[in-house]
């Protein structure tokens, strides 16, 4: 995603003086229900102590224990789960849940009840599927687990984007001098590498069979950064068999004078003069990867497919209309309900987006279009192609820092968001909340649980577990 303008931040009112906190007390804040599926939930929060004696100012990390108590009635929270370690960046997983059941819960650390991350600017809910407990001091909060996708499980695919290898400052905003971005602390590894490695590890741990990376693999298309990305992603498996990558606007070729421009993305991942888009078969599931910046440009304008690519893409859909299909590319087809002003640079060219939606309307096999670029979690279904879920996935490189796991069953599919869960990744992600003058979580996290976690029922009974294939991605197969 290129730099863009953000709304002006209203000046803060002077808060009344607070009584200094007693030594040893902590604040448990930024409670979030990150992942919700039929049998489990992942809940996170942060513990800190005020940096100043008057209780105001930023919170310094406070290493404590963390526990979630929960149950099926708000007055009977008779189960508990904890981390088994002390940390300031808490992640508790409830793993004994039942489908279609309503649960109530509280999270606490050292006697302090965790309070939700604020999503008031977008009228969102970070902690549950109902408003129960919102406005209270510690809950209990409430969620209802979904039913599992029908049928047997076929495969799981990790969907990620916006790794930005080579970036050194997150959140730089052109034209807003007070928004300076957030940089890594001295002495620590580059945050894009920390986040990318943690993503690969977490995707494997969560059972992903394949991984799709939807562009902006690098921050500026530098060959060294794309080679670093290749080495990290090779930790998941073999490129072109276990994971697939497409180009984003940050990965575009760079011109350094007359002659052929440098194309680090092609050198790092394509390795040939063939097209930068492709189609592959995985156990009957068709994967189509699009290059949504198949053009000349400065990167901040709208995404676009070349005429040849658009013609190829429409032909692939027409020739096998019923084939279960997942499409992934960097720019989204639409950007709706954004906290920040929407510009043309945030999406695909409007005419091409309409053309693609028309193609989807005539291809009932397409069920998912995965995109990045906006750096947010957002689920959209448009009436032009109501059988296709348009899923924007938050950036891998900063808050909330993770991926969506697509679980394909013979009777439907689930989309579940997971944060990358190494300790360095959690620390950097917490720093990333400061982006856009602290407004970033209200934009990037997802205003509702459904923006991060959803289940769709549909007939996918023709699919089988994928068989490992040979060859490399990069051609129009």
């Amino acid at each position: 995603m290129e730099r863009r303008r953000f709304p002006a931040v209203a000046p803060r009112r002077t808060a009344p003086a607070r009584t200094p906190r007693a030594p040893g007390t902590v604040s448990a804040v930024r409670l979030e229900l990150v992942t919700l599926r039929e049998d489990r939930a992942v809940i996170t929060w942060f513990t800190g102590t005020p940096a100043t004696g008057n209780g105001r100012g930023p919170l310094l990390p406070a290493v404590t224990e963390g526990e979630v108590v929960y149950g099926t009635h708000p007055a009977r929270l008779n189960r508990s789960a904890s981390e088994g370690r002390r940390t300031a960046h808490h992640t508790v997983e409830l793993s004994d849940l039942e489908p279609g059941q309503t649960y109530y819960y509280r999270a606490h650390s050292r006697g302090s009840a965790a309070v939700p991350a604020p999503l008031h600017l977008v009228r969102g809910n970070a902690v549950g599927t109902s408003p129960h407990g919102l406005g209270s001091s510690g809950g209990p909060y409430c969620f209802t687990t979904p039913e599992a996708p029908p049928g047997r499980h076929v495969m799981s695919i990790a969907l990620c984007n916006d790794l930005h290898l080579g970036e050194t400052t997150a959140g730089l905003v052109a034209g807003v001098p007070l928004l300076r971005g957030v940089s890594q602390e001295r002495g620590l590894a580059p945050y894009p590498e920390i986040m990318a490695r943690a993503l690969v590890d977490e995707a494997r741990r969560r059972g992903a069979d394949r991984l799709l990376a939807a562009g902006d693999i690098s921050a500026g298309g530098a060959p060294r950064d794309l080679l670093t990305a290749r080495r990290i992603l090779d930790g998941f498996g073999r490129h072109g068999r276990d994971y697939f990558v497409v180009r984003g606007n940050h990965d575009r070729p760079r011109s350094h004078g007359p002659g052929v421009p440098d194309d680090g993305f092609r050198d790092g991942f394509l390795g040939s003069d063939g097209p930068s888009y492709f189609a592959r078969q995985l156990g009957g599931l068709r994967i189509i990867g699009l290059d949504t910046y198949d053009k000349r440009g400065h990167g901040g304008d709208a995404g676009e497919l070349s005429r040849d690519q658009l013609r190829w893409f429409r032909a692939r859909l027409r020739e096998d209309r019923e084939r279960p299909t997942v499409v992934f590319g960097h720019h989204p087809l639409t950007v709706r309900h954004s906290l920040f002003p929407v510009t043309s640079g945030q999406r695909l060219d409007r005419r091409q987006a309409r053309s693609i939606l028309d193609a989807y309307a005539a291809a009932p096999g397409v069920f998912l279009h995965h995109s990045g670029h906006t750096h947010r979690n957002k689920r959209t279904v448009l009436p032009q192609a109501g059988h296709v879920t348009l899923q924007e996935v938050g950036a891998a490189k900063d808050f909330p820092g993770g991926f969506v796991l697509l679980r394909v069953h013979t009777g439907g599919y689930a989309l579940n968001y997971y944060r990358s869960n190494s300790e360095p990744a959690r620390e950097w992600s917490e720093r990333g909340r400061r982006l856009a003058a602290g407004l970033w979580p209200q934009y990037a996290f997802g205003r509702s649980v459904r923006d991060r976690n959803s289940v769709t029922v549909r007939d996918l009974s023709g699919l089988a577990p994928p068989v490992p294939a040979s060859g490399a991605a990069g051609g129009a197969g």
Side-chain angles (χ1 to χ4, degrees), residues 127-383:
V127 295
T129 57
S130 88
H132 185 93
L134 295 181
S136 66
S137 57
Y141 309 106
C142 175
F143 62 81
T144 300
T145 53
E147 297 291 340
R152 61 178 173 80
H153 176 257
V154 178
M155 70 184 84
S156 294
I157 302 174
L159 311 177
C160 67
N161 41 263
D162 296 279
L163 282 67
H164 285 231
L165 269 294
E167 183 177 278
T168 58
T169 303
L172 290 176
V173 182
V176 186
L178 295 179
L179 304 185
R180 300 179 179 177
V182 179
S183 299
Q184 180 64 291
E185 293 179 340
R186 291 184 179 181
L188 299 180
Y191 64 84
E193 296 182 25
I194 287 174
M195 300 303 291
R197 290 192 174 94
L199 184 152
V200 167
D201 291 344
E202 189 71 10
R204 276 296 189 199
R205 190 170 79 88
R206 295 296 179 178
D209 302 297
R210 298 291 190 272
L211 182 146
L212 309 181
D216 277 7
I217 309 305
S218 66
R224 65 180 180 276
D225 296 330
L226 286 155
L227 289 175
T228 299
R230 177 67 185 263
R231 287 194 295 269
I232 293 172
L233 291 171
D234 280 350
F236 185 86
R238 179 179 170 183
H239 176 240
R241 182 191 68 185
D242 302 310
Y243 75 92
F244 302 87
V245 178
V246 292
R247 189 197 305 271
N249 54 301
H250 281 279
D251 306 314
R252 67 191 184 278
R254 303 300 169 117
S255 179
H256 301 288
V260 179
D262 291 337
D263 192 345
F265 182 82
R266 178 170 294 280
D267 295 340
F269 290 99
L270 302 181
S272 71
D273 294 328
S276 52
Y277 45 91
F278 56 87
R280 292 289 182 269
Q281 300 285 342
L282 298 176
L285 175 68
R286 177 171 56 183
I287 305 291
I288 296 181
L290 299 179
D291 179 349
T292 63
Y293 207 78
D294 193 4
K295 58 180 283 188
R296 292 181 181 272
H298 53 74
D301 49 348
E304 188 176 330
L305 281 62
S306 66
R307 290 183 180 181
D308 287 344
Q309 181 181 182
L310 185 59
R311 187 181 305 114
W312 169 88
F313 178 54
R314 292 174 64 89
R316 296 289 80 73
L317 297 184
R318 283 195 305 269
E319 71 186 13
D320 201 352
R321 297 171 58 251
E322 305 288 339
R323 171 72 59 185
T325 300
V326 172
V327 180
F328 76 114
H330 186 61
H331 292 77
L333 302 183
T334 184
V335 180
R336 292 193 166 191
H337 304 119
S338 174
L339 174 63
F340 302 123
V342 175
T343 66
S344 62
Q346 291 179 250
R347 58 180 170 238
L348 200 66
D349 173 81
R350 282 183 179 273
R351 287 180 296 179
Q352 287 199 349
R354 285 194 293 266
S355 176
I356 289 172
L357 287 169
D358 289 342
Y360 286 168
V366 180
F367 64 89
L368 178 65
H369 183 114
H370 157 221
S371 63
H373 191 60
T374 56
H375 295 200
R376 67 172 184 170
N377 293 316
K378 182 70 174 71
R379 179 184 186 271
T380 303
V381 176
L382 298 177

